[in-house]
Amino acid sequence: MTRIVWHGHLTFSIHHNGVTLLIDPFFDGNPAAKISKDDVKPDFILVSHGHGDHVGDAEYIAKKTGATVISNFEIVTWLQGKGVEKAHPLHIGGGANFPFGRVKMTIAHHGSGLPDGSYGGNPGGFLITFDDGKKVYFAGDTALTYDMTLLADENVDVAILPIGDNFTMGIDDAVKAVKFIKPKVVIPAHYNTWPLIEADPNEFKRRVESETDTKCVVLDVEGTYEF
Ligand code: NI
Ligand code: MN
């Protein structure tokens, strides 16, 4: 059983066979968050890019829990410079095997500057293949990209896509992304955290389910989806 929990914005936990992955941990300063950075105990922390609403509490949680950070080389190096001990650098197009399965970094069209102005490399997303074959595609902050058509070959079980517009895809482009990726299920995120990224997830759900064969699961904050 694999359980996905939405913590608001683009922060997710994925629990799989006793292992917990925490993605883009943003609790402090996140108006959508209902739990705190002290409430999570991940084994691995995945960071998609350097922006403050994604790298967020990664340093704090990694130091407190001893979790291994998985991110691009530049972000991993930056976190190691702050004293994070366990980290695995990846870069776009590359993947590596971990005790729970495989993580491959995918292309995102976005920025990646770190909160202190340091260079954060290129932004990415993650294709996570668990040891039982289940696949989760986490797009990160990104525009629609035609490279997403390559994911149709992967038989993605769950795609997590931003729909909030302004900084990332909005609903129109996220529906196109679903048509490119053809996942069994899509979960919308990165919306309604602030007024700039207001979006109606039920409009996205209506469009996805009328225009594609994909099921759309709209989660409440701290809501879960099991598959
Ligand atoms: Ni961003
Ligand atoms: Mn963001």
Side-chain angles (χ1 to χ4, degrees):
M1 183 67 80
T2 302
R3 184 161 52 97
I4 296 176
V5 186
W6 187 39
H7 301 300
H9 202 53
L10 201 57
T11 305
F12 284 84
S13 288
I14 305 179
H15 304 278
H16 174 81
N17 292 348
V19 175
T20 297
L21 316 189
L22 177 64
I23 311 179
D24 286 0
F26 176 45
F27 298 99
D28 269 9
N30 176 359
K34 289 186 172 170
I35 65 169
S36 88
K37 62 189 178 196
D38 290 305
D39 295 330
V40 288
K41 292 177 184 61
D43 302 291
F44 294 87
I45 301 171
L46 282 62
V47 179
S48 66
H49 66 290
H51 289 164
D53 56 322
H54 298 261
V55 78
D57 302 304
E59 176 193 344
Y60 176 88
I61 298 167
K63 286 180 180 172
K64 185 179 175 195
T65 65
T68 300
V69 176
I70 302 170
S71 189
N72 72 25
F73 174 80
E74 291 83 356
I75 292 169
V76 160
T77 303
W78 183 76
L79 287 168
Q80 286 172 325
K82 291 174 170 294
V84 169
E85 289 182 355
K86 289 160 70 182
H88 185 111
L90 289 176
H91 235 302
I92 289 167
N97 295 323
F98 297 92
F100 57 85
R102 185 169 176 80
V103 178
K104 181 180 179 184
M105 239 184 138
T106 55
I107 284 173
H109 288 319
H110 192 67
S112 188
L114 285 154
D116 64 1
S118 297
Y119 176 64
N122 288 309
F126 298 105
L127 180 65
I128 305 163
T129 305
F130 288 103
D131 49 16
D132 59 0
K134 286 177 186 168
K135 287 192 189 185
V136 175
Y137 169 58
F138 177 91
D141 278 8
T142 184
L144 178 68
T145 144
Y146 199 68
D147 296 276
M148 289 172 179
T149 57
L150 296 168
L151 292 162
D153 292 340
E154 300 283 350
N155 294 313
V156 170
D157 291 289
V158 180
I160 296 171
L161 303 180
I163 66 161
D165 211 345
N166 196 77
F167 297 118
T168 68
M169 293 187 280
I171 287 174
D172 286 345
D173 281 353
V175 171
K176 284 185 188 167
V178 171
K179 292 174 182 175
F180 287 172
I181 301 161
K182 300 181 175 34
K184 292 185 185 75
V185 167
V186 63
I187 297 175
H190 209 274
Y191 65 90
N192 290 356
T193 318
W194 302 286
L196 266 179
I197 56 171
E198 271 175 15
D200 178 1
N202 292 310
E203 179 194 341
F204 177 65
K205 179 180 171 72
R206 275 193 299 277
R207 289 210 35 207
V208 165
E209 295 187 348
S210 65
E211 297 176 32
T212 77
D213 294 327
T214 298
K215 179 185 174 191
C216 178
V217 174
V218 176
L219 293 176
D220 295 325
V221 174
E222 294 307 310
T224 65
Y225 174 69
E226 290 187 347
F227 66 106

PDB file of all heavy atoms in Angstrom, residues 9-10 24 48-54 110-113 123 140-142 167-168 190, ligand 1:
ATOM      1  N   HIS A   9       0.145  23.485  -0.580  1.00  0.00           N
ATOM      2  CA  HIS A   9       1.100  23.985  -1.575  1.00  0.00           C
ATOM      3  C   HIS A   9       1.631  22.822  -2.415  1.00  0.00           C
ATOM      4  O   HIS A   9       0.823  22.082  -2.998  1.00  0.00           O
ATOM      5  CB  HIS A   9       2.212  24.794  -0.889  1.00  0.00           C
ATOM      6  CG  HIS A   9       2.897  25.731  -1.825  1.00  0.00           C
ATOM      7  ND1 HIS A   9       2.199  26.633  -2.591  1.00  0.00           N
ATOM      8  CD2 HIS A   9       4.216  25.894  -2.151  1.00  0.00           C
ATOM      9  CE1 HIS A   9       3.068  27.323  -3.337  1.00  0.00           C
ATOM     10  NE2 HIS A   9       4.290  26.884  -3.095  1.00  0.00           N
ATOM     11  N   LEU A  10       2.952  22.613  -2.488  1.00  0.00           N
ATOM     12  CA  LEU A  10       3.430  21.453  -3.260  1.00  0.00           C
ATOM     13  C   LEU A  10       4.178  20.482  -2.330  1.00  0.00           C
ATOM     14  O   LEU A  10       5.082  19.768  -2.731  1.00  0.00           O
ATOM     15  CB  LEU A  10       4.331  21.913  -4.419  1.00  0.00           C
ATOM     16  CG  LEU A  10       4.488  20.917  -5.585  1.00  0.00           C
ATOM     17  CD1 LEU A  10       3.141  20.537  -6.190  1.00  0.00           C
ATOM     18  CD2 LEU A  10       5.379  21.495  -6.680  1.00  0.00           C
ATOM     19  N   ASP A  24       9.400  18.540  -1.187  1.00  0.00           N
ATOM     20  CA  ASP A  24       9.295  20.000  -1.125  1.00  0.00           C
ATOM     21  C   ASP A  24       8.679  20.478   0.201  1.00  0.00           C
ATOM     22  O   ASP A  24       7.611  21.112   0.222  1.00  0.00           O
ATOM     23  CB  ASP A  24       8.509  20.534  -2.334  1.00  0.00           C
ATOM     24  CG  ASP A  24       9.326  20.472  -3.621  1.00  0.00           C
ATOM     25  OD1 ASP A  24      10.490  20.026  -3.581  1.00  0.00           O
ATOM     26  OD2 ASP A  24       8.805  20.886  -4.669  1.00  0.00           O
ATOM     27  N   SER A  48      12.636  19.715  -5.282  1.00  0.00           N
ATOM     28  CA  SER A  48      12.556  19.855  -6.747  1.00  0.00           C
ATOM     29  C   SER A  48      13.362  21.015  -7.286  1.00  0.00           C
ATOM     30  O   SER A  48      13.882  20.958  -8.395  1.00  0.00           O
ATOM     31  CB  SER A  48      11.094  19.997  -7.182  1.00  0.00           C
ATOM     32  OG  SER A  48      10.547  21.223  -6.701  1.00  0.00           O
ATOM     33  N   HIS A  49      13.449  22.118  -6.507  1.00  0.00           N
ATOM     34  CA  HIS A  49      14.212  23.296  -6.956  1.00  0.00           C
ATOM     35  C   HIS A  49      14.468  24.206  -5.768  1.00  0.00           C
ATOM     36  O   HIS A  49      14.009  23.937  -4.658  1.00  0.00           O
ATOM     37  CB  HIS A  49      13.515  24.006  -8.119  1.00  0.00           C
ATOM     38  CG  HIS A  49      12.193  24.645  -7.787  1.00  0.00           C
ATOM     39  ND1 HIS A  49      11.057  23.922  -7.507  1.00  0.00           N
ATOM     40  CD2 HIS A  49      11.823  25.953  -7.699  1.00  0.00           C
ATOM     41  CE1 HIS A  49      10.053  24.747  -7.280  1.00  0.00           C
ATOM     42  NE2 HIS A  49      10.490  25.989  -7.372  1.00  0.00           N
ATOM     43  N   GLY A  50      15.210  25.281  -6.010  1.00  0.00           N
ATOM     44  CA  GLY A  50      15.756  26.063  -4.912  1.00  0.00           C
ATOM     45  C   GLY A  50      14.849  27.110  -4.309  1.00  0.00           C
ATOM     46  O   GLY A  50      15.229  27.744  -3.314  1.00  0.00           O
ATOM     47  N   HIS A  51      13.670  27.356  -4.870  1.00  0.00           N
ATOM     48  CA  HIS A  51      12.823  28.428  -4.347  1.00  0.00           C
ATOM     49  C   HIS A  51      12.394  28.134  -2.905  1.00  0.00           C
ATOM     50  O   HIS A  51      12.210  26.973  -2.516  1.00  0.00           O
ATOM     51  CB  HIS A  51      11.592  28.618  -5.235  1.00  0.00           C
ATOM     52  CG  HIS A  51      11.936  29.230  -6.562  1.00  0.00           C
ATOM     53  ND1 HIS A  51      11.089  29.209  -7.638  1.00  0.00           N
ATOM     54  CD2 HIS A  51      13.067  29.871  -6.986  1.00  0.00           C
ATOM     55  CE1 HIS A  51      11.667  29.829  -8.659  1.00  0.00           C
ATOM     56  NE2 HIS A  51      12.869  30.234  -8.292  1.00  0.00           N
ATOM     57  N   GLY A  52      12.204  29.218  -2.143  1.00  0.00           N
ATOM     58  CA  GLY A  52      11.956  29.100  -0.708  1.00  0.00           C
ATOM     59  C   GLY A  52      10.717  28.293  -0.360  1.00  0.00           C
ATOM     60  O   GLY A  52      10.656  27.680   0.712  1.00  0.00           O
ATOM     61  N   ASP A  53       9.731  28.287  -1.252  1.00  0.00           N
ATOM     62  CA  ASP A  53       8.499  27.543  -0.965  1.00  0.00           C
ATOM     63  C   ASP A  53       8.638  26.065  -1.322  1.00  0.00           C
ATOM     64  O   ASP A  53       7.670  25.314  -1.251  1.00  0.00           O
ATOM     65  CB  ASP A  53       7.291  28.157  -1.690  1.00  0.00           C
ATOM     66  CG  ASP A  53       7.460  28.281  -3.189  1.00  0.00           C
ATOM     67  OD1 ASP A  53       8.576  28.605  -3.642  1.00  0.00           O
ATOM     68  OD2 ASP A  53       6.481  28.059  -3.922  1.00  0.00           O
ATOM     69  N   HIS A  54       9.884  25.635  -1.634  1.00  0.00           N
ATOM     70  CA  HIS A  54      10.130  24.220  -1.964  1.00  0.00           C
ATOM     71  C   HIS A  54      11.301  23.655  -1.155  1.00  0.00           C
ATOM     72  O   HIS A  54      11.208  22.585  -0.577  1.00  0.00           O
ATOM     73  CB  HIS A  54      10.355  24.054  -3.474  1.00  0.00           C
ATOM     74  CG  HIS A  54       9.139  24.460  -4.238  1.00  0.00           C
ATOM     75  ND1 HIS A  54       8.234  23.564  -4.717  1.00  0.00           N
ATOM     76  CD2 HIS A  54       8.642  25.694  -4.530  1.00  0.00           C
ATOM     77  CE1 HIS A  54       7.219  24.216  -5.286  1.00  0.00           C
ATOM     78  NE2 HIS A  54       7.455  25.513  -5.181  1.00  0.00           N
ATOM     79  N   HIS A 110      11.329  26.415 -15.267  1.00  0.00           N
ATOM     80  CA  HIS A 110      11.061  27.260 -14.107  1.00  0.00           C
ATOM     81  C   HIS A 110      12.382  27.907 -13.698  1.00  0.00           C
ATOM     82  O   HIS A 110      13.320  27.950 -14.495  1.00  0.00           O
ATOM     83  CB  HIS A 110      10.471  26.361 -12.996  1.00  0.00           C
ATOM     84  CG  HIS A 110       9.873  27.086 -11.844  1.00  0.00           C
ATOM     85  ND1 HIS A 110       8.735  27.851 -11.946  1.00  0.00           N
ATOM     86  CD2 HIS A 110      10.237  27.151 -10.536  1.00  0.00           C
ATOM     87  CE1 HIS A 110       8.443  28.350 -10.755  1.00  0.00           C
ATOM     88  NE2 HIS A 110       9.342  27.955  -9.885  1.00  0.00           N
ATOM     89  N   GLY A 111      12.516  28.396 -12.462  1.00  0.00           N
ATOM     90  CA  GLY A 111      13.772  28.902 -11.924  1.00  0.00           C
ATOM     91  C   GLY A 111      14.189  28.048 -10.747  1.00  0.00           C
ATOM     92  O   GLY A 111      13.473  27.124 -10.365  1.00  0.00           O
ATOM     93  N   SER A 112      15.373  28.345 -10.173  1.00  0.00           N
ATOM     94  CA  SER A 112      15.826  27.516  -9.051  1.00  0.00           C
ATOM     95  C   SER A 112      16.748  28.272  -8.097  1.00  0.00           C
ATOM     96  O   SER A 112      17.506  27.676  -7.356  1.00  0.00           O
ATOM     97  CB  SER A 112      16.520  26.251  -9.569  1.00  0.00           C
ATOM     98  OG  SER A 112      16.794  25.348  -8.521  1.00  0.00           O
ATOM     99  N   GLY A 113      16.694  29.616  -8.119  1.00  0.00           N
ATOM    100  CA  GLY A 113      17.546  30.383  -7.212  1.00  0.00           C
ATOM    101  C   GLY A 113      17.221  30.062  -5.756  1.00  0.00           C
ATOM    102  O   GLY A 113      16.054  29.935  -5.390  1.00  0.00           O
ATOM    103  N   PRO A 123      15.838  23.688 -12.204  1.00  0.00           N
ATOM    104  CA  PRO A 123      14.695  23.076 -11.514  1.00  0.00           C
ATOM    105  C   PRO A 123      14.364  21.730 -12.136  1.00  0.00           C
ATOM    106  O   PRO A 123      14.686  21.472 -13.296  1.00  0.00           O
ATOM    107  CB  PRO A 123      13.570  24.075 -11.776  1.00  0.00           C
ATOM    108  CG  PRO A 123      13.916  24.669 -13.104  1.00  0.00           C
ATOM    109  CD  PRO A 123      15.429  24.752 -13.129  1.00  0.00           C
ATOM    110  N   GLY A 140       6.890  19.128  -9.994  1.00  0.00           N
ATOM    111  CA  GLY A 140       7.563  20.320  -9.470  1.00  0.00           C
ATOM    112  C   GLY A 140       6.865  21.573  -9.994  1.00  0.00           C
ATOM    113  O   GLY A 140       5.761  21.503 -10.535  1.00  0.00           O
ATOM    114  N   ASP A 141       7.523  22.711  -9.810  1.00  0.00           N
ATOM    115  CA  ASP A 141       7.013  23.949 -10.410  1.00  0.00           C
ATOM    116  C   ASP A 141       7.448  23.939 -11.862  1.00  0.00           C
ATOM    117  O   ASP A 141       8.652  23.927 -12.164  1.00  0.00           O
ATOM    118  CB  ASP A 141       7.647  25.174  -9.733  1.00  0.00           C
ATOM    119  CG  ASP A 141       6.979  25.563  -8.431  1.00  0.00           C
ATOM    120  OD1 ASP A 141       6.113  24.804  -7.957  1.00  0.00           O
ATOM    121  OD2 ASP A 141       7.344  26.633  -7.900  1.00  0.00           O
ATOM    122  N   THR A 142       6.507  23.953 -12.778  1.00  0.00           N
ATOM    123  CA  THR A 142       6.903  23.943 -14.183  1.00  0.00           C
ATOM    124  C   THR A 142       5.811  24.490 -15.079  1.00  0.00           C
ATOM    125  O   THR A 142       4.623  24.436 -14.744  1.00  0.00           O
ATOM    126  CB  THR A 142       7.299  22.516 -14.653  1.00  0.00           C
ATOM    127  OG1 THR A 142       7.774  22.572 -16.006  1.00  0.00           O
ATOM    128  CG2 THR A 142       6.132  21.541 -14.570  1.00  0.00           C
ATOM    129  N   PHE A 167       2.962  31.363 -11.629  1.00  0.00           N
ATOM    130  CA  PHE A 167       4.356  30.901 -11.562  1.00  0.00           C
ATOM    131  C   PHE A 167       4.557  29.563 -12.275  1.00  0.00           C
ATOM    132  O   PHE A 167       5.699  29.128 -12.472  1.00  0.00           O
ATOM    133  CB  PHE A 167       4.797  30.720 -10.107  1.00  0.00           C
ATOM    134  CG  PHE A 167       4.787  31.988  -9.290  1.00  0.00           C
ATOM    135  CD1 PHE A 167       3.958  32.108  -8.184  1.00  0.00           C
ATOM    136  CD2 PHE A 167       5.602  33.060  -9.624  1.00  0.00           C
ATOM    137  CE1 PHE A 167       3.952  33.266  -7.414  1.00  0.00           C
ATOM    138  CE2 PHE A 167       5.604  34.224  -8.860  1.00  0.00           C
ATOM    139  CZ  PHE A 167       4.771  34.322  -7.754  1.00  0.00           C
ATOM    140  N   THR A 168       3.472  28.846 -12.550  1.00  0.00           N
ATOM    141  CA  THR A 168       3.526  27.490 -13.128  1.00  0.00           C
ATOM    142  C   THR A 168       2.376  27.341 -14.124  1.00  0.00           C
ATOM    143  O   THR A 168       1.654  28.295 -14.388  1.00  0.00           O
ATOM    144  CB  THR A 168       3.325  26.410 -12.046  1.00  0.00           C
ATOM    145  OG1 THR A 168       1.965  26.480 -11.569  1.00  0.00           O
ATOM    146  CG2 THR A 168       4.281  26.581 -10.867  1.00  0.00           C
ATOM    147  N   HIS A 190      -0.132  23.159  -5.665  1.00  0.00           N
ATOM    148  CA  HIS A 190       0.447  24.491  -5.923  1.00  0.00           C
ATOM    149  C   HIS A 190      -0.636  25.489  -6.350  1.00  0.00           C
ATOM    150  O   HIS A 190      -0.491  26.211  -7.336  1.00  0.00           O
ATOM    151  CB  HIS A 190       1.572  24.405  -6.968  1.00  0.00           C
ATOM    152  CG  HIS A 190       2.638  25.470  -6.814  1.00  0.00           C
ATOM    153  ND1 HIS A 190       2.523  26.720  -7.375  1.00  0.00           N
ATOM    154  CD2 HIS A 190       3.841  25.471  -6.195  1.00  0.00           C
ATOM    155  CE1 HIS A 190       3.606  27.425  -7.091  1.00  0.00           C
ATOM    156  NE2 HIS A 190       4.421  26.697  -6.374  1.00  0.00           N
TER     157      HIS A 190
HETATM  158 NI    NI B   1       9.313  27.817  -7.739  1.00  0.00          NI
END
